[in-house]
Amino acid sequence: DEFMRLQVQQKLEDDNARTAAIRDQKEKLLAERRQMQHENFLRKSAVKEAMDQMKITNKFIDIEEVLAKKAGKEVRKRDDYDSDDDSEDGRRMS
């Protein structure tokens, strides 16, 4: 009788621990989803604002540059030539 009670008690504890773990995982996933939705919203807003600015000023610039400035990242200019280029005119030497 005591053995059965201990087994049931152990099963209840295991079930409670499993339930808590699942609940924590679900909360974590929901928080990540909310964060991603917020980041996507900010990104879309920045793109829309940049497009509106381009329409107003009629200056069509690199959208990645505008978005990088919005995000506070350093903008790295693209090279005119690939790094593997050996010639002056940008053609690859094979």
Side-chain angles (χ1 to χ4, degrees):
D1 193 40
E2 182 67 20
F3 178 73
M4 291 295 285
R5 186 183 71 76
L6 290 175
Q7 276 188 328
V8 169
Q9 185 178 3
Q10 181 65 38
K11 183 178 181 334
L12 288 174
E13 289 173 1
D14 291 344
D15 288 347
N16 288 340
R18 181 175 170 268
T19 302
I22 290 171
R23 187 180 328 111
D24 292 344
Q25 183 182 18
K26 181 179 177 181
E27 287 297 320
K28 181 182 173 189
L29 289 171
L30 288 173
E32 287 178 9
R33 186 180 297 158
R34 281 191 297 271
Q35 179 66 27
M36 287 172 42
Q37 287 173 339
H38 181 67
E39 289 172 1
N40 286 337
F41 171 75
L42 293 177
R43 191 176 307 113
K44 285 180 183 180
S45 296
V47 168
K48 184 179 183 310
E49 186 178 319
M51 294 298 289
D52 290 344
Q53 188 65 29
M54 283 186 232
K55 286 179 185 177
I56 292 169
T57 61
N58 207 20
K59 291 182 183 178
F60 294 94
I61 57 175
D62 187 15
I63 190 76
E64 291 177 9
E65 185 177 321
V66 173
L67 294 177
K69 286 180 184 177
K70 280 281 190 189
K73 297 178 183 174
E74 183 178 323
V75 178
R76 191 179 121 222
K77 296 285 183 184
R78 295 181 185 165
D79 294 332
D80 291 337
Y81 305 109
D82 291 333
S83 60
D84 295 342
D85 291 342
D86 293 331
S87 67
E88 292 288 322
D89 59 358
R91 288 183 279 168
R92 290 182 186 233
M93 304 293 283
S94 297

